[in-house]
Amino acid sequence: MKSDPRPLAVFDVDGTLADSGHRQHYLEGPRRDWDGFFAAAVDDPPLAEGVRLALSSAEECEVRYLTGRPERCRRDTLAWLAAHGLPDGRVYMRGNDDRRPARRTKLEILRRLGREREVRMLVDDDELVCDAAERAGFSVVRARWATSSEALRDAQEREGRT
């Protein structure tokens, strides 16, 4: 199979394409319910602005997905992307036991992609991921079209869960 020569447009999933607001309550309180949080992802409504951007990006770029979701969520994530008409594209997920902050795991993958192909842009809602990617020289679109909870931001940074 011949490789696609187009540049890459790399999209986060939660908070960028998928509205995870309805399940953020699983992360509140002293004991976070990660199984419940990820199981409810199948019911995420799409975020229209992110979906539009992914579809328009697919006209000039190969779309790929870079999510902090653990590998065990792959089947549900692929089904969700297909159900909402998002472009086909490779999905990069964190290992099930990887608890590093998203800004580290995602930047590691972005750098690897950037060595192989032009990365036209990263689209992500996590400000720390966006900051790290910009410092590394990547063009970033900050997905500010969804509401994120403090519990989710804390989980992304301190617990390395999404």
Side-chain angles (χ1 to χ4, degrees), residues 8-139:
L8 301 176
V10 181
F11 285 80
D12 173 44
V13 178
D14 295 325
T16 300
L17 300 170
D19 185 350
S20 61
H22 71 100
R23 57 189 166 102
Q24 291 182 15
H25 66 92
Y26 288 106
L27 304 181
E28 296 166 358
R31 302 195 86 196
R32 296 180 185 196
D33 179 2
W34 289 105
D35 290 337
F37 178 77
F38 288 120
V42 297
D43 297 321
D44 287 357
L47 290 164
E49 192 166 344
V51 171
R52 273 193 303 274
L53 185 56
L55 293 172
S56 66
S57 295
E59 295 172 12
E60 294 184 15
C61 298
E62 179 185 346
V63 173
R64 297 210 182 160
Y65 303 95
L66 176 55
T67 178
R69 291 180 182 185
E71 186 63 42
R72 70 179 180 275
C73 298
R74 180 170 292 279
R75 183 180 303 158
D76 287 345
T77 301
L78 294 174
W80 188 94
L81 292 167
H84 294 287
L86 284 142
D88 287 337
R90 186 166 176 190
V91 177
Y92 301 89
M93 305 181 90
R94 75 170 59 242
N96 288 329
D97 297 321
D98 186 345
R99 299 290 186 263
R100 294 175 295 154
R103 62 188 159 82
R104 290 196 184 127
T105 59
K106 289 184 175 184
L107 188 58
E108 180 180 292
I109 292 168
L110 272 177
R111 283 184 169 138
R112 188 172 72 231
L113 293 174
R115 286 191 294 271
E116 300 167 9
R117 301 265 292 280
E118 174 195 347
V119 176
R120 171 87 39 97
M121 68 177 151
L122 167 69
V123 184
D124 203 300
D125 68 316
D126 184 327
E127 294 291 335
L128 295 173
V129 169
C130 292
D131 291 345
E134 284 179 338
R135 280 193 302 273
F138 292 98
S139 293

Side-chain angles (χ1 to χ4, degrees), residues 148-162:
S148 163
S149 73
E150 184 58 40
L152 181 60
R153 283 189 297 274
D154 184 59
Q156 288 173 319
E157 179 59 17
R158 291 190 334 147
E159 294 186 33
R161 294 284 192 133
T162 177

